[in-house]
Amino acid sequence: QVQLVESGGGLVQAGGSLRLSCAASGRTFSTYDMGWFRQAPGKEREFVATSRWSAGSTYYADSVKGRFTISRDNAKNTVYLQMNSLKPEDTAVYYCAARTPGLTNYNYWGQGTQVTVSS
């Protein structure tokens, strides 16, 4: 059982940086795959980045590769998304998600935090 709460969103100028945080509850946090998704106005929710516990690897959408970094601090039960070189196209509500080991789809979601990038 995992509960997720995002924070750190806000307004930033194009080319700037922002770090999102996702506070997670649950003793088995370190065994879960963690991910970030986003949903822009009028668009479907899309994948951004994931940290896979089983493989000890990370994976990024092509649109953010080289600019965004997902990381986790298991001692603090917190997942981060460091966003650099932000573009107006990055404007969206960003959601933290967790996936129970063995599942394909993410089954726990946070409430979302708004990121707005001005041009």
Side-chain angles (χ1 to χ4, degrees), residues 50-70:
T50 188
S51 174
R52 296 172 177 171
W53 171 84
S54 60
S57 62
T58 57
Y59 185 77
Y60 299 90
D62 289 340
S63 60
V64 306
K65 195 175 300 179
R67 300 188 298 119
F68 290 11
T69 302
I70 186 172

Side-chain angles (χ1 to χ4, degrees), residues 16-94:
S17 298
L18 205 61
R19 188 182 74 163
L20 305 183
S21 298
C22 174
S25 64
R27 195 177 186 275
T28 60
F29 168 81
S30 63
T31 70
Y32 281 62
D33 291 343
M34 303 298 299
W36 286 96
F37 293 75
R38 66 187 183 186
Q39 186 169 20
K43 296 185 178 181
E44 297 296 317
R45 187 174 299 184
E46 65 174 347
F47 166 79
V48 175
T50 188
S51 174
R52 296 172 177 171
W53 171 84
S54 60
S57 62
T58 57
Y59 185 77
Y60 299 90
D62 289 340
S63 60
V64 306
K65 195 175 300 179
R67 300 188 298 119
F68 290 11
T69 302
I70 186 172
S71 62
R72 59 200 298 172
D73 186 338
N74 290 330
K76 296 182 178 180
N77 280 356
T78 302
V79 178
Y80 304 96
L81 183 68
Q82 179 66 46
M83 305 183 293
N84 299 325
S85 301
L86 283 163
K87 306 174 181 179
E89 307 92 88
D90 296 319
T91 295
V93 176
Y94 283 71

Side-chain angles (χ1 to χ4, degrees), residues 100-115:
T100 302
L103 297 183
T104 299
N105 299 324
Y106 288 83
N107 54 318
Y108 296 100
W109 295 85
Q111 85 287 352
T113 184
Q114 176 70 46
V115 172

